[in-house]
Amino acid sequence: MGLSLATAERWVERWELQQQRYAVDREERFTVIADVVEHVTAGRAAPPLVVDLGCGPGSLAARLIRRLPDAEIVAVDRDPVLLELGRTHHPDAARYVDAEIGAPGWVRALELDRPLDAAVSTTALHYLDRDTLLGTYRQLAALLRPGGVLVNGDHLPQGETSPAGIAAHVGRCRADRQRVFAHEDWGSWWAAVGDDPELTDLLAERRRREASLGTTRPAELPLSAHLELLGQSGFATAGPVWQYGDSCVVVAVR
């Protein structure tokens, strides 16, 4: 049995608030991503086809569909709890796909019938190790039409050749000024979700998947490494189009 709409609305609203703790100028970053997708799809006859990588409960997909109401959005994530929240709260924003980005068969699970205009993501790709990220970038380049784009909004350290410490400090200061509006953090949100009986089965499945994946996280790659990997993956050009501290939006053009 699916979730009730009231339950989904409650938890998505709390998700949006707690995410403000982590994403510097989160709404602005969403807006920039939508600006890019709108720009590269303007004037095309076919409706835009977009994949949302690591979609969570549909936060980015919901904003994109408001900007581009004729778009077809395929939203993919491996988290059963967040996917069900998205399906229930934002049912018309996207077609939701349960798959792990970079794992064998994940591209087939998308069931795409034409080349992509855009692949978008927010705070999801930094969880991939270097080899998986390179493979994923290559797969995305093959899925995109010529002139299509990968748009990635994420926390990407600046690396040793820039004032990385200062950039990180600027981002933290901005985030601290925003946190007055966020009453929960990641851990307390999930702890509260655990007390909701409607989510018991989905949480059990989430824990089962996490146990099979292990708990080791790869080191987060700097922006320069992402740009290098994009260059190796078949993209014609790549670079940041918006940035505040370590938070940036990177666009790679096929």
Side-chain angles (χ1 to χ4, degrees):
M1 182 180 295
L3 297 180
S4 68
L5 180 58
T7 293
E9 287 178 343
R10 180 171 68 254
W11 289 113
V12 170
E13 181 179 352
R14 288 174 66 167
W15 172 269
E16 295 283 341
L17 288 173
Q18 62 97 352
Q19 283 291 289
Q20 292 180 26
R21 298 177 65 94
Y22 304 104
V24 177
D25 281 345
R26 185 169 182 255
E27 284 301 328
E28 178 66 15
R29 191 165 67 183
F30 283 141
T31 299
V32 170
I33 293 171
D35 288 342
V36 173
V37 176
E38 184 178 55
H39 176 69
V40 301
T41 59
R44 294 184 65 83
L49 178 59
V50 181
V51 162
D52 181 3
L53 304 161
C55 64
S59 300
L60 176 56
R63 289 162 173 83
L64 280 176
I65 206 67
R66 288 198 292 267
R67 177 77 75 89
L68 301 165
D70 62 337
E72 178 185 350
I73 301 175
V74 181
V76 57
D77 204 295
R78 74 181 190 188
D79 192 308
V81 175
L82 299 182
L83 279 171
E84 192 62 27
L85 290 175
R87 288 191 186 104
T88 306
H89 188 58
H90 301 299
D92 300 324
R95 172 168 60 86
Y96 294 89
V97 175
D98 188 344
E100 181 180 352
I101 299 165
W106 82 275
V107 169
R108 289 193 304 275
L110 302 178
E111 298 183 347
L112 303 176
D113 59 3
R114 58 189 172 98
L116 291 170
D117 292 291
V120 299
S121 184
T122 56
T123 57
L125 298 182
H126 68 261
Y127 287 101
L128 304 181
D129 62 63
R130 188 184 185 96
D131 290 342
T132 304
L133 187 63
L134 176 60
T136 299
Y137 281 161
R138 286 174 172 164
Q139 290 171 314
L140 292 170
L143 292 173
L144 286 161
R145 63 167 172 81
V149 292
L150 167 63
V151 193
N152 181 26
D154 212 335
H155 297 103
L156 304 177
Q158 299 305 295
E160 297 179 358
T161 59
S162 67
I166 295 175
H169 173 73
V170 167
R172 286 194 298 270
C173 289
R174 177 63 170 172
D176 287 342
R177 290 192 291 272
Q178 293 177 317
R179 281 181 184 136
V180 66
F181 304 108
H183 303 293
E184 287 183 307
D185 60 15
W186 173 270
S188 61
W189 187 88
W190 282 105
V193 164
D195 294 329
D196 191 321
E198 278 197 65
L199 294 167
T200 299
D201 291 343
L202 289 167
L203 279 167
E205 174 60 17
R206 183 179 192 269
R207 294 186 183 111
R208 186 193 67 77
R209 295 183 186 187
E210 286 183 331
S212 67
L213 290 171
T215 58
T216 302
R217 279 187 55 184
E220 294 184 9
L221 298 175
L223 172 60
S224 58
H226 283 264
L227 299 181
E228 177 187 346
L229 294 176
L230 288 165
Q232 296 173 12
S233 301
F235 288 93
T237 185
V241 298
W242 177 91
Q243 187 171 336
Y244 200 116
D246 285 348
S247 180
C248 62
V249 176
V250 174
V251 175
V253 182
R254 178 68 173 91

